[in-house]
């Protein structure tokens, strides 16, 4: 897919913009021990329909709340969804709420890696200046912002006033103030 003609590139961009599932199965990569793996070719993707079901939910609904067990790939799926939205919906802002700076920086790194694995014709430039930062700003105006919940002096302000159309709550089962933050976010949801 790296060497598609202009018409084929436009057709692929349109298919990808219309379907997160299509993009995941054809273009998304994620980092694993020893390198990167194409999501549509991974054993995890092939062995269970859960990822396709979740992708379809994202495609078909404006609001998705996912509560599930640990270590099934929710963070990876959420971060790839954020990368997809940032590419195909210019000027979108995404908020990633997590426990600490380390997890926020890891999320930013994972999105940056996913973006660089895309074919050049699909890539959008990153205008963020620092390598190890807690946000991403793309040249199309899209932003991925992070905030930390643990240790917040005033946790009810963490979620208050959020206006981003996509809010990802990561590791919230371990957040001491999850109920306060979630309540503060309600007007935005």
């Amino acid at each position: 897919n790296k060497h598609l003609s202009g018409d084929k590139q436009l057709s692929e961009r349109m298919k990808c913009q219309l379907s997160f599932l299509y993009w995941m199965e054809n273009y998304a990569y994620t980092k694993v021990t020893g390198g990167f793996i194409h999501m549509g070719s991974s054993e995890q993707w092939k062995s269970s329909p859960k990822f396709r079901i979740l992708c379809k939910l994202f495609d078909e609904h404006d609001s998705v709340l996912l509560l599930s067990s640990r270590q099934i790939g929710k963070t990876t799926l959420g971060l790839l969804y954020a990368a997809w939205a940032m590419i195909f919906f210019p000027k979108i802002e995404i908020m990633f709420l997590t426990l600490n700076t380390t997890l926020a920086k890891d999320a930013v790194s994972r999105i940056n890696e996913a973006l660089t694995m895309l074919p050049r014709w699909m890539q959008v430039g990153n205008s963020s200046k620092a390598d190890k930062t807690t946000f991403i700003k793309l040249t199309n105006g899209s932003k991925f912002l992070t905030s930390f919940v643990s240790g917040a002096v005033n946790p009810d302000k963490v979620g208050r006033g959020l206006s981003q159309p996509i809010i990802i709550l990561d590791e919230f089962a371990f957040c001491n103030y999850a109920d306060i933050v979630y309540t503060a976010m309600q007007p935005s949801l």
Side-chain angles (χ1 to χ4, degrees), residues 2-19:
K2 291 182 179 181
H3 307 291
L4 296 176
S5 68
D7 288 344
K8 292 274 188 194
Q9 288 177 10
L10 182 58
S11 174
E12 282 300 295
R13 282 191 68 81
M14 290 176 66
K15 289 177 190 175
C16 289
Q17 183 173 5
L18 292 172
S19 174

Side-chain angles (χ1 to χ4, degrees), residues 14-24 55 59 84:
M14 290 176 66
K15 289 177 190 175
C16 289
Q17 183 173 5
L18 292 172
S19 174
F20 173 58
L21 175 59
Y22 181 83
W23 182 80
M24 282 285 289
C55 289
D59 279 345
W84 170 79

Side-chain angles (χ1 to χ4, degrees), residues 36-79:
F36 292 88
I37 189 165
H38 179 255
M39 289 298 291
S41 302
S42 72
E43 286 304 315
Q44 191 175 23
W45 185 272
K46 290 178 185 178
S47 67
S48 171
K50 68 183 169 198
F51 288 111
R52 279 183 210 79
I53 292 167
L54 291 171
C55 289
K56 284 181 183 179
L57 286 171
F58 288 140
D59 279 345
E60 296 170 0
H61 300 281
D62 291 336
S63 299
V64 176
L65 177 62
L66 172 64
L67 301 171
S68 69
S69 60
R70 295 193 32 80
Q71 303 301 319
I72 66 159
K74 295 181 302 291
T75 300
T76 298
L77 187 67
L79 293 175

Side-chain angles (χ1 to χ4, degrees), residues 70 99 169-176 178:
R70 295 193 32 80
L99 297 179
L169 308 176
D170 185 58
E171 297 293 345
F172 246 54
F174 300 105
C175 175
N176 294 332

